[in-house]
């Protein structure tokens, strides 16, 4: 089987796509539940710190419990109703019990996870790099949607990935150790300095600390050489989308726009095609 997958890139990519669908279903759970778990943990810590009476424990709430159920009628979702994308089509986008609409976002995240997973598999092939790249891709999807919903980039995802990037550099998986360490430090400091400069000039906070850690993560995985590309791409896309939302959607310009999804998208592009883009740029300017 291993020999077949290593010599059949499209078969391997197809298998990864199926796995991506299943992971996408799990990511829907992470995106919804992890912020709630964090908020409950923070509340519990505050109650203990203030020495207040502890609240009664409700039913367990984590990534595995309670089992999936309809948010409207609370009816349990059966395993055959939870098949990625297919079940949504079969149920015509409605709960089997109460017939209330199911958010289109769930199958879209599943399909998006599968598509990005296939692209990673086709790019890296059947190599040790592909497994870590898939892990990073899946985590970036979770981080992006959590940031969109809550303007939060959980340390429980970003920090382990940062340490993993530094560890991988010991084996030159994506970059060497020197470039990784410098990249992690520079990635954090660049946005931290922008944050401090903006705060000094306006008295407002322009971004969150999670953004610093996310860019440091990419520096650790890909090396400091990719940071200019990531910053340029994320800023360009963020500016275009932000201005479009203000002009076309009439969004209030004072409402914060999460920067994490743009960083995640730029970092993912750099993971797959960063070297090619840098090489193309240097060639175009005669270097």
């Amino acid at each position: 089987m291993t020999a077949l997958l290593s010599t059949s890139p499209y078969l391997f990519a197809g298998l990864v796509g199926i796995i991506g669908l299943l992971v996408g279903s799990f990511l829907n759970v992470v995106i919804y539940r992890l912020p709630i778990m964090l908020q409950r943990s923070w509340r519990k810590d505050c109650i203990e710190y203030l020495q207040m009476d502890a609240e009664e424990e409700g039913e367990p709430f984590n990534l595995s419990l309670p089992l999936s159920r309809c948010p409207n009628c609370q009816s349990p979702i059966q395993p055959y109703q939870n098949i990625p994308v297919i079940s949504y089509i079969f149920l015509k986008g409605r709960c089997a019990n109460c017939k209330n609409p199911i958010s289109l976002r769930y199958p879209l995240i599943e399909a998006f996870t599968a598509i990005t997973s296939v692209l990673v598999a086709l790019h890296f092939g059947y190599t040790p790099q592909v497994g870590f790249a898939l892990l990073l891709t899946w985590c970036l999807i979770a981080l992006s949607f959590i940031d969109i919903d809550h303007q939060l980039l959980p340390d429980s995802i970003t920090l382990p990935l940062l340490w993993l990037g530094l560890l991988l550099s010991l084996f030159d998986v994506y970059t060497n150790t020197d470039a990784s360490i410098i990249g992690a430090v520079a990635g954090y400091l660049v946005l931290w300095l922008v944050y401090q400069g903006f705060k000094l000039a306006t008295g407002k906070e322009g971004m969150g600390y999670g953004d610093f850690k996310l860019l440091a993560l990419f520096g650790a995985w890909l090396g400091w050489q990719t940071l200019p590309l990531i910053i340029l791409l994320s800023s360009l896309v963020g500016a275009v989308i932000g201005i479009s939302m203000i002009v076309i959607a009439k969004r209030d310009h004072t409402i914060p726009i999460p920067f994490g999804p743009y960083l995640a998208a730029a970092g993912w592009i750099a993971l797959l095609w960063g070297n090619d883009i840098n090489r193309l740029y240097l060639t175009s300017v005669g270097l």
Side-chain angles (χ1 to χ4, degrees):
M1 185 64 177
T2 300
L4 179 61
L5 292 176
S6 63
T7 56
S8 304
Y10 293 107
L11 176 62
F12 175 61
L15 177 61
V16 169
I18 295 173
I19 295 173
L21 282 174
L22 299 175
V23 172
S25 180
F26 175 69
L27 291 183
N28 278 318
V29 176
V30 175
I31 292 164
Y32 172 72
R33 295 192 183 190
L34 183 57
I36 297 176
M37 292 163 56
L38 292 174
Q39 290 167 6
R40 291 187 177 188
S41 176
W42 296 334
R43 180 177 178 81
K44 182 179 179 181
D45 290 343
C46 289
I47 289 174
E48 291 178 354
Y49 178 77
L50 296 173
Q51 298 181 347
M52 299 171 63
D53 292 336
E55 297 178 343
E56 292 185 7
E57 293 284 346
E59 65 174 347
F61 190 88
N62 49 51
L63 297 181
S64 58
L65 295 173
L67 298 178
S68 297
R69 56 196 180 195
C70 173
N72 296 299
C73 66
Q74 301 300 310
S75 61
I77 298 177
Q78 303 300 324
Y80 64 86
Q81 298 170 342
N82 209 20
I83 302 172
V85 179
I86 295 175
S87 290
Y88 185 89
I89 297 173
F90 179 76
L91 294 170
K92 297 180 180 179
R94 295 184 177 276
C95 171
N97 183 55
C98 67
K99 305 304 179 183
N100 272 303
I102 302 170
S103 175
L104 182 61
R105 173 166 153 166
Y106 295 122
L108 287 180
I109 289 177
E110 293 165 352
F112 181 69
T113 304
I115 292 170
T116 52
S117 298
V118 168
L119 290 175
V120 169
L122 290 174
H123 179 80
F124 288 106
Y126 193 72
T127 64
Q129 289 179 315
V130 73
F132 297 110
L134 286 170
L135 175 63
L136 179 60
T137 299
W138 298 334
C139 290
L140 290 177
I141 292 172
L143 285 170
S144 296
F145 282 96
I146 290 174
D147 201 26
I148 291 171
D149 291 343
H150 302 278
Q151 294 187 10
L152 171 70
L153 294 169
D155 286 349
S156 55
I157 298 178
T158 54
L159 292 184
L161 285 175
L162 172 60
W163 307 133
L164 178 59
L166 293 171
L167 181 63
L168 291 176
S169 73
L170 295 175
F171 306 96
D172 293 338
V173 177
Y174 300 104
T175 189
N176 59 65
T177 304
D178 290 345
S180 177
I181 294 174
I182 295 172
V185 174
Y188 189 93
L189 285 180
V190 165
L191 291 188
W192 182 85
L193 290 173
V194 172
Y195 166 88
Q196 294 297 341
F198 184 83
K199 187 175 182 181
L200 185 63
T202 66
K204 300 177 181 179
E205 296 183 353
M207 62 180 62
Y209 278 67
D211 297 322
F212 315 162
K213 299 167 190 174
L214 182 56
L215 188 57
L217 179 162
F218 287 126
W221 277 68
L222 307 176
W224 62 268
Q225 298 90 338
T226 61
L227 293 180
L229 173 64
I230 294 172
I231 294 171
L232 178 62
L233 285 176
S234 59
S235 300
L236 179 62
V237 175
V240 170
I241 293 179
I243 293 172
S244 300
M245 292 175 67
I246 293 173
V247 174
I248 300 175
K250 306 299 181 184
R251 181 187 176 100
D252 188 345
H253 70 278
T254 62
I255 299 176
I257 297 175
F259 190 51
Y262 309 129
L263 273 177
W268 186 79
I269 291 172
L271 172 69
L272 268 63
W273 303 292
N275 291 334
D276 295 332
I277 295 173
N278 282 335
R279 192 179 303 111
L280 179 63
Y281 170 75
L282 293 174
T283 301
S284 66
V285 297
L287 296 177

